[in-house]
């Protein structure tokens, strides 16, 4: 529950940053609910075992930190300041996830197998989090020109792979990529091709959990209407008392 609340707070930081550009919170929500606004494809994969919680914390939050640390130095102040707060909080998630993976990888054969299974499931979606290759990315060139992004998708992905391979070696688990090898000339790890067909299927709303995610979001929005109404009424009463005073 605490992690869910923390992630919700991250969303609020970003919504607040977006509002500084003139868009309203209601408009952003309507765009999300109607499918006009996209969200990270990583949230559309199932989590069948406890080990997934560890793999998500380690890999997904780890990938997010690599991407977001770069954004803390971006050209738009409200966005950069939000990312500073988010990165500090994400680091707790990443450490918690890695500790779960350490515990499982040093546990029973069943626990170790569970950890390896989760790694197999989340490795490639984590690499997809950085977006398409730079030559295929519709936004990278403009974002780099405006200094919103200071490193490209492929640069950030490579940074993450180099870091994660060393962490995985410590776990004693195997990354599900037969093409993964250290390149002496580049001084980076080479890795295999990403399934971009899968990426675009999920990103366009047809992933394994897309429909369920949106349905639950719509249900939560409907069921929480009374909270928004009560908060608005309370704020109006306080404003009226201040005006009278």
């Amino acid at each position: 529950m605490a992690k869910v609340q923390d992630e919700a707070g991250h969303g609020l930081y970003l919504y607040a940053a977006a509002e500084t550009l003139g868009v309203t919170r209601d408009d952003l929500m309507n765009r999300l609910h109607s499918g006009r606004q996209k969200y990270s494809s990583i949230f559309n994969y199932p989590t069948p075992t406890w080990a997934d919680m560890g793999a998500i914390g380690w890999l997904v939050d780890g990938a997010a930190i690599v991407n977001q640390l770069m954004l803390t130095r971006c050209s738009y102040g409200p966005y950069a300041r939000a990312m500073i707060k988010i990165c500090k909080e994400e680091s707790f998630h990443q450490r918690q996830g890695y500790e779960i993976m350490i515990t499982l990888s040093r546990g029973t054969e069943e626990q170790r197998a569970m950890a390896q299974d989760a790694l197999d499931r989340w490795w490639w979606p984590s690499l997809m989090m950085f977006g398409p290759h730079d030559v295929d990315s519709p936004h990278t060139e403009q974002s780099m020109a405006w200094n919103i992004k200071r490193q490209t998708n492929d640069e950030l992905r490579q940074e993450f792979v180099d870091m994660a391979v060393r962490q995985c070696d410590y776990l004693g688990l195997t990354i599900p990529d037969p093409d993964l090898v250290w390149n002496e000339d580049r001084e980076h790890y080479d890795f295999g091709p990403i399934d971009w067909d899968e990426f675009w299927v999920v990103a366009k709303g047809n992933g394994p959990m897309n429909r369920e995610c949106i349905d639950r979001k719509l249900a939560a929005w409907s069921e929480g209407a009374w909270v928004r109404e009560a908060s608005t009424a309370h704020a109006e009463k306080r404003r009226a008392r201040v005006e009278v005073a």
Side-chain angles (χ1 to χ4, degrees):
M1 177 61 73
K3 184 172 181 178
V4 171
Q5 291 174 325
D6 193 42
E7 295 290 3
H10 297 174
L12 291 176
Y13 294 152
L14 297 178
Y15 276 122
E19 285 176 313
T20 65
L21 297 172
V23 67
T24 67
R25 186 77 57 91
D26 284 344
D27 184 40
L28 290 171
M29 286 296 176
N30 289 334
R31 288 172 179 267
L32 179 63
H33 295 162
S34 65
R36 291 179 294 147
Q37 179 171 289
K38 303 302 181 184
Y39 55 93
S40 177
S41 61
I42 198 70
F43 297 120
N44 293 299
Y45 288 88
T47 54
T49 74
W50 166 244
D52 287 79
M53 300 300 101
I56 290 170
W58 168 39
L59 295 174
V60 173
D61 288 331
I65 290 170
V66 170
N67 190 49
Q68 291 163 353
L69 275 173
M70 174 267 301
L71 294 172
T72 64
R73 304 186 299 276
C74 79
S75 60
Y76 191 59
Y79 193 30
R81 288 190 288 273
M83 284 300 171
I84 291 172
K85 293 181 179 180
I86 290 172
C87 284
K88 289 179 180 179
E89 294 165 2
E90 288 285 6
S91 66
F92 288 100
H93 303 173
Q94 197 272 343
R95 292 170 188 172
Q96 178 197 41
Y98 196 58
E99 182 179 357
I100 291 171
M101 295 298 282
I102 289 174
T103 301
L104 292 173
S105 68
R106 283 153 176 69
T108 64
E109 287 298 319
E110 291 79 6
Q111 289 171 327
R112 182 178 178 82
M114 187 188 300
Q116 181 64 58
D117 180 56
L119 170 58
D120 293 347
R121 191 160 39 250
W122 288 97
W123 174 253
W124 292 108
S126 296
L127 297 193
M128 294 177 195
M129 284 181 64
F130 295 97
H133 287 306
D134 296 329
V135 295
D136 301 318
S137 175
H139 305 298
T140 292
E141 184 177 355
Q142 183 68 81
S143 296
M144 294 289 288
W146 288 351
N147 279 332
I148 296 173
K149 294 185 68 169
R150 303 176 72 90
Q151 290 175 268
T152 69
N153 296 350
D154 288 326
E155 289 171 345
L156 292 167
R157 189 171 10 251
Q158 184 68 69
E159 183 179 330
F160 172 73
V161 169
D162 292 345
M163 174 186 69
V165 170
R166 291 188 289 270
Q167 294 172 341
C168 194
D169 287 342
Y170 181 77
L171 293 174
L173 300 176
T174 303
I175 289 177
D177 182 359
D179 297 323
L180 186 69
V181 63
W182 177 255
N183 187 317
E184 289 288 351
D185 294 331
R186 295 196 313 116
E187 296 188 342
H188 292 289
Y189 281 96
D190 292 337
F191 52 94
I194 295 171
D195 185 352
W196 292 114
D197 289 338
E198 175 186 328
F199 170 81
W200 288 114
V201 166
V202 177
K204 291 179 179 179
N206 299 307
M209 304 294 290
N210 284 73
R211 189 64 262 167
E212 183 175 346
C213 285
I214 290 298
D215 287 346
R216 290 191 176 184
K217 178 67 175 66
L218 289 170
W221 181 257
S222 176
E223 294 167 2
W226 68 273
V227 178
R228 297 191 299 277
E229 293 167 2
S231 299
T232 300
H234 178 66
E236 290 175 351
K237 287 182 178 180
R238 289 190 61 183
R239 184 162 47 248
R241 285 198 296 269
V242 170
E243 291 175 354
V244 170

